[in-house]
Structure formats: structure tokens, C-alpha cells
Amino acid sequence: MSFRIIKALVAKDLSLFFRNRFYALITVLGIVTYIAIYLVMPSSVDERLEIGLYAPVVPPVFEQISEEGVEIEPVESKEALVEAVIEGQYAAGVELPADIMEKFASGQKPQVTLYFTADAPEEVKDAVEFLIRELAYLQTGQMLAIDVSAEILGRDMLGEQIPTRDRMRPLFALALIMFETMGLASLISQEIEQGTAQALLVTPTNVKDLFAAKGLMGVGLAFAQAVFFMAIVGGMSSQPLIILTTLLLGAILVTGAGFLIASLSKDMMSVMAWGAVVIIVFAIPAFGIMVPGTISGWVKAIPSYYLADIVHQAANFGAGWGDVWPNLLILMGFNVAIVGGGIMALRRKFQ
Amino acid sequence: MAPDAIVAEELTYWYGELIAVDHIDFTVAQGEILGFLGPNGAGKTTTVKMLTGQLKPKAGRAVLLGMDVAHNVEKVQGEIGVCFEETNLYEQMSALENLQLFARLFGIRSFDAYALLKRVGLAGREKDRVENYSKGMKQRLMVARSLVSRPQILFLDEPTAGLDPTSSEAIRNIILEERERGATIFLTTHDMLEADKLSDRVAFMNDGKIVALDTPHNLKQKYGKRALKAEVSNESGELEMREIALDTTQTPEAIHELFAREKVVTIHSEEASLEDIFIKLTGRRLTE
């Protein structure tokens, strides 16, 4: 390999990357947008639970409720309650029957109806059911006939809730890194499609020089953007060395993915198509971090899980080397496989 | 006598069952222009790829400037210039940037891109993006790029295909100037007239084999048929063609008869063209 040649090729690739208005614009817009979204999102967690209540007769215990973080607001009709829940005004709606007090008095079990939207988290459903059961018990001294089975999925965040925007940091960092997959794949694909790779390979440039130059540019661009973003949004304040290492491994991972996409693609459109598939799959683990409980064990088969998880654990919970080393090792393993596979697949196209 | 710049010994390549290049042997002397002719699929491109280090021969060897190409790819590629048939320039870059990039790849420190662009007729457009160039301008830039390293051997693949006469002439002049400089030129073309004008020798390739290799003059002498073609006016005033083969014992008598019995309107001699010879040797046209 020749340093002189690699330097010339990297300079050329960087120049071409930023001359492509689409990629240049998306790169800058991506960084600015993600930082802006992060900064405008609330920096603290709103833990209040607002519940709408429709009750022709309100039991005294419901009027005296003083649970911390729970606000119960009366609503005039069942229809108004349903509408308010659908519009997101309340996390849940509770409808008590008109004969609730008589049923309590006669020892019968009144029918209580709860309303949730389809996307209400299980935790909220569980909490509201639990609350109603507790209030009924306080009122009558006996249990309501509600069969509740509760299960906690994902990390139990009791006492250590973090703002959504901090949860989103791995997603944004991953998105910035991932975008380079398409940029790099597009550059390589163009190089093959337009025959410029062939022109380079009849000069003293060899295939190793080409891979080294493309790899350096891909890793450099992805890493620089992710580090810049994390630095601006305070993601480096905890365990910076772990985060830098992880982002570097992530940049190498997406460079390998870029090689694979380029080997499968024939033009810009196929780069976009394959790139979109890879980006969506790679983004799933980061969404899982943003919304706990939405993904299960299979997500660990996606290489980006280890990237997103390490960034999340280190930036948001201060996880140290002792906590993250198994995931770092797995990420390195994926890197070797994906970069190696990408080089092998692409080498055939260069020749 | 100058040593050979290009030596092909039993050069062979196959793609699966298809033998693209079948044990070909030839040499090209330093400073010589070899026209390499053949129809599509004859094996020309595969041969050039082996000579320029893009493909490793399955059998035989290619030696350029005394170096076995398969074992000295980078050294050989440092001494050659290649101009491809299909335009493969960095279109988002300027002509200047394209040439400067390749100069850096060759490790040339003092490189005057402006002078080279002026030489190929692109002065004044050096900083324009290549995507805004016409086909002729791009082709001239392709030729310029192949000259960046002042190569000892120049491979040119259809350098004038589809170009206007001015651009074609400019490129032909550059080829001759390079020969004057001492470069060896391997010219792949479909254009028989161009090959005839420029080449010291021509090689005909068909089905992976070289079927003839000699100077255009010798090939015409050996395989061609010289003739006199005359237009004569018949009794009703219509024009008819008459052809008299030259170089036969009956030729003088036939010419005498023509002028004695016919009303000759025009007459000219005709040499066999390389195209005719190629058809005679292979039964195929070059443009097939």
C-alpha cells in the first residue's frame, strides 16, 4: 500500500462527497436537526399520570385521592371521556357505574371500565389498574374482581428515569453514522459504474489502496459526525473513552456495511434501496432503547444493538469498561465479519 | 535495434468454457504503433487487460519493457498510459483536477496540467466540470489523462470513436507526436482507415487468435487485389461500371480493349482496403 496514493484518493473522495449536493446537504442537515431536536426536548421526565374520570356518583375515596404524581380530573360524560383519551389529554380514562355505591354497600362487584389508547405503554395500563384496585379496596376494604397479571419488560427504571432526549442520543448518533453507509456505498458504486475504478487500477494504485482510502474516508466521516454530535449534546460527559471507542467501532461497522451495499448495488437507486433496508434494521435496537419493552431478545442478532446499547449504558448510566467489554467484543466480532465480507464481495466487482 | 516494448508469449485467457484469447504471440518494438483490429468479441479487450495488468493470464505471459506483467504489475503500470473506449472520468471534477489526481497517483511532483490540456485543445476550459464537456472534449481529456505520466507505452482503445473530424484529427496528431517522443503505441480500433493511416503494423484478431500481423502495405500486397475501376457510358447514355484486375498477364490487353470499345467517363485505380483483407481472412466484417 502507498500512503501517497491513499492520501490522494481520500482527498478526492472527500471532495466528491461534499460536491454531491444531496449528501452534503443531508450530512449538515442531519447534524443540525438532531442537535436541535435534542436541545428542544425536555431535559427532565414528566412523571405525572393524568387520568380522566367519568362517574355519575363519585365515591368519597376518589375525591380524596392524594397519590403523588397522579391527577384525576372529572369528565362530564362517557363520550367526553373517550374523546379526551383518544386525543391524548389523559393517559387513561376511568368510567365508574352509577350504582357503584349501592353495589359496594350490598357487597357486589361493580363494573369499572378503563380506557386506553392502542399505543399506551403496558406500564401505564398496569399502573392504572393497580390504582383503581387500591382505591376500591380503600373504599370497601375488599378486593375488586379484576384479574391482573403484570410483567416488567426491559430495564426496570424505577428511581432512575432519564429524559427521552437522552434516550434518543444513541438513535441520533447511530443515524448519523448510518447515513455514511449510503454515502460511502454510493461513492463506491459510482466508481465502479462509471469505470473510474478501472482507470485507477491501471495506474500504480492497487485494490488494497482503494479499500484503504474508501475505508478511511467512510470511518472518518461517520466517526467525526457522531463524535461532534455527542460532544454537543453532552454525551461525552460520562465515560468519554468508552463512547469514543464504541463510535469508532460503529463507524467501522457501517463502513463494512457500505462495502456490502456497494457490492450489491449497480446504481444510485439500488444503493438507496439496499441502504434503506440496512438503516432500518440497524436502527431497530436504538428504537428499543428509546421505548423500553418494545423489543425482545432477537434484537441482539443485529450488530448495531451493541453499538447503541454501549452508548446508552455509558452515556446515560456511566457504565464502565467492566460492564461493557462483552458487548465491545461482540461488536468487534461483527466488525471483522462485516468488513471482511464487504471487502471480499467488493473485490470481485473491482476486478 | 531497440528491444521490444511489448512481448506476448502464448498469451491465453478463458472465461469458463469460452477461450477469449488463444495462445497468441506477438511483439511490438519501441516507438512502434501497432494497430490491433478485430470485431467485437474477438479478444482484443481481454488481450489489452492482460497487457495492462488488469487480468492475469491463464497461460503464457506478457512482458512489457522487459518486465513480466503478472509479477510486476505496479512497476509496469507506472510506465504505461491507458485510454479506455468508454469515458471514465470524474465528471464532478474539473479537467484540471482529474489530471492533477492522476499525477499524484503516479507520484509526479512537477506536473503542468495546463500545458497538457492546451496540447489536447482544452485550454480555457481547464476549470470547467467534466460533466459539462462535449463527447469530443471528454475524449481529448481521456487521451490527456493517459499522457500524464509521459508513458513509455500507450494503450489507446478506440480513441476517435464517434468523434467529430476536428477532434479525431487532434487525437491522431497527438498519437503521432507521442510516437515521435519515442512512445510505443498499442492502438485498438475498428476504424480501418485510421489504422491504415497511423499504424506501422496491424494485427488482425479473430476468435481469440491473431490471423495476420504485418505492415498495412505488406498485407495489401499479400492479400489484396488491385484493380482499375471505370465508368463507361453505354449506347443509351447510361453509366455502367467496368473492373479490370491489375497485376495479371491480361491486364494490358484488357485496358486497351476498354478504351478501344467503350466510352470511358471516369477511371481510377483501387487498392484493397484492410477491411477487404480482414473479410478475406476471417469471413467476417470488423463491425460485426
Side-chain angles (χ1 to χ4, degrees), chain B residues 193-214:
Chain B
L193 289 176
E194 180 169 273
D196 204 351
K197 262 190 208 173
L198 294 174
S199 308
D200 298 310
R201 288 188 302 153
V202 293
F204 288 155
M205 194 160 190
N206 189 42
D207 291 336
K209 294 182 173 168
I210 290 179
V211 292
L213 171 58
D214 210 332

Side-chain angles (χ1 to χ4, degrees), chain A residues 3-84:
Chain A
F3 177 71
R4 167 180 54 79
I5 288 175
I6 293 168
K7 191 176 148 197
L9 293 176
V10 169
K12 179 264 298 175
D13 282 341
L14 279 174
S15 158
L16 286 176
F17 183 87
F18 286 105
R19 279 176 204 202
N20 184 320
R21 285 181 193 164
F22 175 71
Y23 286 117
L25 189 68
I26 291 291
T27 299
V28 175
L29 267 184
I31 295 176
V32 172
T33 308
Y34 296 150
I35 291 174
I37 291 173
Y38 179 85
L39 294 177
V40 298
M41 286 181 78
S43 59
S44 58
V45 179
D46 182 2
E47 294 186 70
R48 285 179 309 153
L49 186 62
E50 290 182 56
I51 298 171
L53 173 67
Y54 167 62
V57 178
V58 181
V61 71
F62 278 76
E63 290 177 336
Q64 295 158 13
I65 188 166
S66 60
E67 291 274 343
E68 190 181 335
V70 177
E71 282 182 21
I72 296 185
E73 284 183 26
V75 180
E76 287 180 358
S77 66
K78 179 185 166 184
E79 291 71 28
L81 176 67
V82 169
E83 196 176 330

